[in-house]
Amino acid sequence: MTPPRPKPSARRPRRPAEATPPASGGGPIELLPLAAGPARHPAIGLGLWGLGRWTPEDEARTKATIARAVERGIRWFDTAEVYGAGRSERLLGDVLARAAGATPPFYVATKVSWEHLRPAQIRAALVNSLERLGRTSVDEYLIHAPDSRVPLAETMPALEALWKEGRIGALGVSNFGVEELEEAERHLGEARIVVNQVRYNLFDRDEAEPVREYCRRRGILLEAYSPLARGVLAGRYLDGRPAAAEVRRRLVRLFDAERLPEVLDRARALRALAAEAELPLAAVALHWLRGRGAAPVVGASRPEQVDDLLAAWAAQPTAAVLDRADAIARGDRA
Ligand SMILES: NC(=O)c1ccc[n+]([C@@H]2O[C@H](COP(=O)([O-])OP(=O)(O)OC[C@H]3O[C@@H](n4cnc5c(N)ncnc54)[C@H](OP(=O)(O)O)[C@@H]3O)[C@@H](O)[C@H]2O)c1
C-alpha cells in the first residue's frame, strides 16, 4: 500500500533540489527493496538520537547537521518519540519542511516508545509524532523495543490498522530477537514486518547474528544502529582520550571496564589496516555491515561528521580488507 504523500510545505525550498550535490563521489545513495517490493529504503541513513543535551546551542548544531545531510543527499532520517522527548522529531520536521520538494524524496522513520504499546497509546503516539514532524504519514514506523508486559497480540493489529489507513509506509520493529519477531509476525494479517533495527557493528555482533539470519530468510531488512560503536570505529578514544561517562552508559557492554582495553586495541589494529589500504576507518566499519546485508544508521552530531560519513561510504574497501577487518575485530591477530 502506498501511503498518501505528506502535505507539501507552504514554505519554499531554500535551495532547488537539482542544486543538491551528490551524496558521495559515487552519486546518489542506493535504494534497497523492502520485502521484495520496490527499492525505496536508502542504504545508509542519519540517526538523530545522541545529539547533545538539547540546549539552544545543541539544537542549532543539530539543525545544521541535518541541513548538511539534506544538502549532501542523505534521505533516510531515523528518529523516535523518545529522542529528546520529541525534540529530535521537531527539529527534523523543521529542517525538512525548509527542503520540501527535494529529490530523491525523504525517507523518514520514527518509533513508538516501549511505554506506548497499547492500541490507544500507539494511535496517540503516532499522531503526536506526525504533528512534530509536520507530516500526514511516516515512511517507516518501528516499535522501539518490546515490552514483555504488553502482548504483541494487542500491539500488532493496532499498528496494522494505522498502516491500512496509510499513515505508515513500512512497518518495523527494533531490538526484537527471533522469538519476538515470530510472535509479532503471527499477529499481522495483510501487513508485514519489513525492517528490524538492532545494534550491530564489528565489535557488537554476537546477539545480532541469529536475528540477521532470521531476517535474511524472511526478507526483513536489518538496520544496524551504533554502526561506528559510538565513534570508536571513527577513530574516537584511540589516542588515550578516556570515553565519556555518558558514552560508557550508552554502550555499557562495549565500554565496560574489562572489555574496553581489548576493544580499543582491536580498533587500533583496524585503523592500521584502513590506513594501509588508504581508507578511513569508518569505511571499513560501514562496508563490513553493507557486505552483511545491513543498512547502517549512523549518528553524527555535527556537520563535519556528515562529510566524514559520506567520504567513508564513497570509499570502496576490497573483500580482502573486509575479511581481514572481520578477523581483527574477532580477535584474530595472525
Ligand atoms: N533502536 C534503538 O534502540 C537505537 C539505539 C541506539 C541508536 N539508534 C539509532 O542509531 C543512530 C546511531 O546510533 P549511535 O549514535 O549509537 O551510532 P554510531 O554511529 O555508532 O555513533 C555515533 C557517534 O560517533 C561519533 N562520530 C560520528 N562520526 C564521527 C567522526 N567522523 N569522528 C569522530 N566521531 C564520530 C559521534 O559522537 P559525538 O556525538 O560524541 O561526537 C556520534 O554521535 C542513533 O542516532 C539512532 O537514530 C537506535
Side-chain angles (χ1 to χ4, degrees):
M1 174 188 284
T2 311
R5 301 299 317 153
K7 255 190 273 172
S9 163
R11 280 176 274 189
R12 286 174 67 77
R14 233 188 342 202
R15 134 202 313 271
E18 57 274 21
T20 302
S24 62
I29 290 170
E30 129 193 53
L31 297 177
L32 306 173
L34 284 176
R40 63 194 178 101
H41 187 297
I44 188 162
L46 183 70
L48 301 171
W49 164 47
L51 302 171
R53 297 198 172 277
W54 309 101
T55 60
E57 294 74 34
D58 286 343
E59 294 204 1
R61 188 170 39 77
T62 297
K63 280 190 171 188
T65 305
I66 301 170
R68 177 73 63 87
V70 167
E71 211 177 279
R72 298 286 320 270
I74 289 182
R75 291 295 178 261
W76 167 25
F77 293 93
D78 178 83
T79 181
E81 62 166 324
V82 299
Y83 295 169
R87 292 187 189 89
S88 172
E89 290 178 327
R90 198 172 292 287
L91 291 180
L92 177 63
D94 284 356
V95 178
L96 297 194
R98 293 205 180 87
T103 52
F106 296 117
Y107 184 90
V108 174
T110 192
K111 313 183 193 77
V112 56
S113 162
W114 52 91
E115 291 183 342
H116 292 155
L117 297 184
R118 304 270 181 208
Q121 293 174 321
I122 293 175
R123 183 167 287 272
L126 181 60
V127 166
N128 290 335
S129 286
L130 291 175
E131 188 273 321
R132 287 187 290 267
L133 288 164
R135 297 169 63 106
T136 53
S137 67
V138 72
D139 300 294
E140 182 179 298
Y141 200 47
L142 310 178
I143 298 178
H144 205 141
D147 175 357
S148 56
R149 293 163 305 178
V150 181
L152 288 164
E154 271 189 48
T155 306
M156 300 316 293
L159 282 170
E160 176 152 12
L162 292 164
W163 174 79
K164 283 186 174 158
E165 289 170 26
R167 294 186 189 209
I168 298 173
L171 204 57
V173 294
S174 176
N175 300 303
F176 271 44
V178 170
E179 281 177 21
E180 287 149 340
L181 280 165
E182 283 171 341
E183 173 70 4
E185 288 188 302
R186 259 197 293 281
H187 298 292
L188 288 174
E190 289 168 47
R192 284 192 59 184
I193 292 172
V194 295
V195 162
N196 185 19
Q197 184 179 109
V198 298
R199 184 167 62 211
Y200 191 35
N201 62 55
L202 270 162
F203 293 130
D204 209 343
R205 49 165 115 173
D206 293 350
E207 233 173 77
E209 282 302 346
V211 178
R212 180 172 79 96
E213 176 51 23
Y214 179 86
C215 289
R216 191 191 60 74
R217 277 190 280 114
R218 301 285 303 153
I220 296 171
L221 178 67
L222 198 75
E223 294 180 351
Y225 75 72
S226 299
L228 299 177
R230 292 293 307 153
V232 170
L233 289 166
R236 290 281 281 277
Y237 317 115
L238 301 188
D239 297 310
R241 190 180 137 201
E246 194 168 320
V247 170
R248 283 202 303 271
R249 267 203 311 280
R250 283 178 181 161
L251 261 187
V252 179
R253 277 186 303 138
L254 190 57
F255 287 96
D256 101 14
E258 265 172 40
R259 201 179 161 208
L260 182 61
E262 179 58 28
V263 165
L264 295 183
D265 251 17
R266 291 180 195 181
R268 286 185 196 101
L270 288 170
R271 183 173 61 176
L273 172 77
E276 203 179 302
E278 298 184 352
L279 296 163
L281 171 55
V284 173
L286 298 176
H287 286 277
W288 178 83
L289 289 165
R290 184 185 203 169
R292 299 172 110 70
V297 54
V298 188
S301 60
R302 53 205 79 237
E304 313 82 78
Q305 291 179 351
V306 170
D307 295 337
D308 289 349
L309 134 73
L310 288 171
W313 192 244
Q316 295 181 340
T318 61
V321 166
L322 295 177
D323 285 350
R324 186 75 201 113
D326 184 70
I328 291 171
R330 277 192 278 108
D332 167 10
R333 291 297 161 85

